[in-house]
Amino acid sequence: MAGHTEEHDAVTGRTTTGHEWDGIKELNTPLPRWWLNVFYATIIWSIGYFIAYPAWPGVSSYTRGVLGYSSRADVAVEVEALKARRAAQAADLATVELAAIKADPKLLSLAIAQGKAAFGDNCAPCHGIGATGSKGYPNLNDDEWLWGGTLEDIHTTLKHGIRSSNDADTRISAMPAFGRDGILKRDEIRMVANHVRALSGQPTEAGYNRAAGEKLFADNCASCHGEKGLGNRDLGAPNLADAISLYGNRLEDIVETVTNSRAGVMPAWAGRLDPVTVKSLAVYVHSLGGGQ
Amino acid sequence: MSTSDIPDIPLYASAKKVYPQSVRGTYRRIKWGVLFVCLGIYYFLPFLRWDRGPNLPNQGILVDLVNRRFYFFPIEVWPQEVYYFTGLLVLAAMVLFLMNAIAGRIWCGYLCPQTVWTDLFLHVERMIEGDRRDRMRMDEGRWGPGVLARKAAKHFIWLMIAWWTGGAWVLYFADAPTLVRELASGTAPAVAYIWIGILTFTTYTLAGIMREQVCNYMCPWPRIQAALTDDEALNVTYRYDRGEPRVSVKEAARRKATGEAAGDCVDCFQCVAVCPTGIDIRDGAQLECIQCGLCIDACDTVMTKIGRPKGLIGYDTDGNVQARAKGLPERPFRPVRPRTIIYFAIIALVGGAMLYQLATRATAGISLIHDRSPLFVTLADGSIRNAYTIRLINKRPDSRLFALTVEGPAGARIELVNVSATADWRPVVAVEPDSTREIRALVTAPKSAFSGKSVPIVIRASDLFAGEDVAARDHFFGPG
């Protein structure tokens, strides 16, 4: 770099900056005035902005600005507005009977929409997204119900739960642990398990004796499950003669069930969710396909 | 290469303002007629009523964005039928090509909105600021209060026309009389005002300020047109075989007396003065020429005055002009030739296909989505159930009842969730006029009828009264 003499450039009619790098000179082309003015204006604007809005970070906090703006407060307002709107929409859901919801297409679609959302948030962890269930968690799409599949039954189960420790009205049933408690012997359990398989028309083991199985079943199981194993909803005793079994219908599954018993738990939702949501859930589950 | 070799000219050509002169004649009259018809259609069409019964809007043309419908007199288009517009676009292109093959840029010269509105704006300019010379003088001179007042009046009227243009535009998107009342009372939706604003701005800018710049720089058609034209199409042409060499009337008389060559063009520049794009038609076919025919009127006026035959500038084919210049016999203009036949055939084909499709299209529809979770459910008695979400479409203006049946695995039956009506044991769904309805269907089949993991299934919806019958295919899944 050498020299600092400004030159007049004949072609453009402008001067150079006076700098020179290895013979290369640069035309002096100042920023357009309008651009510069806009730039200054933004600087002035930013001063006002710093004063009015949150701007400078501190060590543990930040300057809050004189307008007191906060995006978090904005969200809170929007959430409140949404809640108010939902409450208005759901006003009818809160007062109307379950059966009447079913009869009103508008309320029905609202309840199903709300129920579906609530199901995903609260029920899906156990029952699965499509309420498909899995071992120990009932499939809610089918027509087998431990505690009844009418709207009212489902609503009651939802409200009070099953074997829920903090609800006095919870659904409760207790099958004895026939093996663990020494009621039945090992071979007897195997015999009765074979009989349970026979009830739903499945093949049995070689050593299975129908008369002995029937007797064992009648003495130990029929009081709850019925003579033919058709179950009893008042007691929460499942139907053993159909194609659906909550804990599996392989021989070892049934042996395990008879030996140690099963006691699945569902929380009581009455205290956790608001009544409208519980109602909506009942309607949604009832509409999945198995509702009675 | 030294700096002195680089030509010292800017690459940017600034626009030269064009001051088109007023003109009278056949083509001017045609242009006025087309202008009135086109603008009349544009401004008043939304008010035309068309009775579609109690459940549908009664506006002749309506783009109902809220309800996702497009109404064109007896035709109603749903969003999924938007392919009709593909057909319309193909037709539009082909009609444009056909027009071009017959008589050049008819679209540009007479029909294009840019031309029509620019013409109108130019007329306003002439009424207020005077003709070509007055306007040129006004722009050269100092601006006194009188000039300012006239300029202000011109821009005010331009803005009013532009505003009306935007106003008419939004009427196509809502019930026109209602929207007019709302606009007048300031209660129309904000989007209406925004669009009026946008179209006021574009109309004012494009027709008032940019004018021929739009055709020269923004529009692709001049480029495409130049590639599509041939020497058999009629174009606005300066017949140089007759016009050259250009000499004054006096000089022509002198030359005729001495037997020298003298053309009919007297170099009066009237064709240039009236040209809305500011070009000289005598330079031959050019991109900027929109072929509005005003130079024909201007030249014919001059030719009549000096007692020479009209048509020194006229609609002619390039082939003819060249033939005459070479002293060959003229070729008659052939509107029917392979090129136009092909264009016409494509138009007939596409138009015919669209009409056929329109005439035979179904007024009902059904689509299926198989539930994915769960894919299938085993019921207590061992039978298998699959769930489907069905969407039924009713394109008629009255409510309809559809009975649903299932064809697939033996013994399969269908039931609908939260729908209890039946007819002959078939579940029945009511679908509101001109709408769709989504329902969940459960199809159950006995285990015995089911082999393999999946079998094809057809769900059929039959109109209980009108007899229309639609079906959709899917699969029925099981444990295999």
Side-chain angles (χ1 to χ4, degrees), chain B residues 300-342:
Chain B
D300 281 352
T301 310
V302 172
M303 287 297 125
T304 312
K305 269 185 195 154
I306 60 174
R308 289 182 188 163
K310 288 180 179 183
L312 177 55
I313 304 173
Y315 272 100
D316 205 347
T317 69
D318 203 25
N320 259 341
V321 178
Q322 283 177 23
R324 283 197 306 270
K326 286 177 193 149
L328 301 170
E330 286 202 26
R331 286 186 297 178
F333 168 58
R334 292 190 304 152
V336 180
R337 55 186 199 274
R339 176 188 287 263
T340 55
I341 291 169
I342 290 168

Side-chain angles (χ1 to χ4, degrees), chain A residues 7 26 64 101 121 155 163 170 189 217 259 282 285 287:
Chain A
E7 285 174 41
E26 186 188 18
R64 293 213 145 68
I101 294 176
D121 287 347
H155 192 225
R163 299 182 192 95
T170 194
I189 289 174
F217 191 86
T259 308
V285 170
S287 300

Side-chain angles (χ1 to χ4, degrees), chain B residues 6 95 98 103 105 139 174 177 209 218 227 296 299 314 356 360:
Chain B
I6 301 168
V95 170
L98 182 63
R105 289 168 67 173
D139 280 357
I209 294 161
M218 289 168 71
I296 302 180
C299 191
Y356 176 77
T360 58

